Structure formats: structure tokens, C-alpha cells
Amino acid sequence: SIIWCAETHGRYIGQCITAMVRDKIKSMEVNADVYKQYNNMVDAELAKTAWNDPSCMSWYKSGATGKVTNNLPDSLEGYWAKTRLVNLDDFDIQKVTQCS
């Protein structure tokens, strides 16, 4: 359900904020390679769905391209496993610097 997904997002964001405070992180952005890998996985999974059929008309398809979009191409358990614990190595991190 979308509520469960929102709760999962909130827990993940909370872990990011905790790490930022604990480790004095000024900013964190998803690493470009991690982002590309995730999006490639999403595209591959969505290609296996009924929404990918050319005759399927759905709000999961984007405009003229017909690209299938979806907020959760994985199972709930799969999504939970991927987002259960933040991996700080997935981010480009900038630490807080001290002025002298």
C-alpha cells in the first residue's frame, strides 16, 4: 500500500538525518552510479509487467514515449529489504567543515 511505502520512506529518511547529525554531514546526494543502477533495475522490472504491453493504456505510461513509470516495481518485501538500512556508501557525502 502507498501508506506502507510512505512509512518506509520516512524511516529511511530518518536514518539519513540521524547519520547526518551523528557524522556531522553537511549534505548527502545519491551517487550517480548507484542512481543509474537503481533506475536500470526499475526499467528492467517494469519491462516484465503487463503495463509494458503496447496495447495497455495506463496512467503508469508516460506521455508520447510510452515509458512505463511506477512508484514501486518491486514487491513490498523487496522494497523493504532495499531500504531497511541506509548504506552511506551509496551517497556522495560532504562533511561539515570547521572554521579556524
Side-chain angles (χ1 to χ4, degrees):
S1 93
I2 198 68
I3 293 170
W4 183 87
C5 290
E7 290 172 348
T8 301
H9 296 327
R11 183 179 57 250
Y12 188 86
I13 292 167
Q15 289 179 28
C16 290
I17 293 168
T18 298
M20 291 181 83
V21 171
R22 180 192 64 228
D23 300 338
K24 296 180 174 50
I25 296 171
K26 180 178 178 179
S27 67
M28 55 192 296
E29 293 183 44
V30 176
N31 176 279
D33 289 335
V34 172
Y35 177 82
K36 286 177 193 172
Q37 280 181 328
Y38 179 77
N39 278 299
N40 288 340
M41 180 278 300
V42 168
D43 288 342
E45 290 301 312
L46 290 175
K48 301 174 191 173
T49 65
W51 300 305
N52 195 46
D53 187 294
S55 64
C56 176
M57 303 302 275
S58 169
W59 67 279
Y60 285 126
K61 288 191 172 183
S62 177
T65 66
K67 179 177 176 165
V68 179
T69 60
N70 185 319
N71 57 354
L72 187 62
D74 205 354
S75 68
L76 293 177
E77 294 83 5
Y79 183 75
W80 177 82
K82 286 180 180 76
T83 60
R84 187 172 64 87
L85 295 173
V86 171
N87 180 355
L88 294 178
D89 292 335
D90 289 344
F91 295 88
D92 295 330
I93 291 175
Q94 185 179 46
K95 296 268 190 156
V96 173
T97 57
Q98 300 294 328
C99 296
S100 40

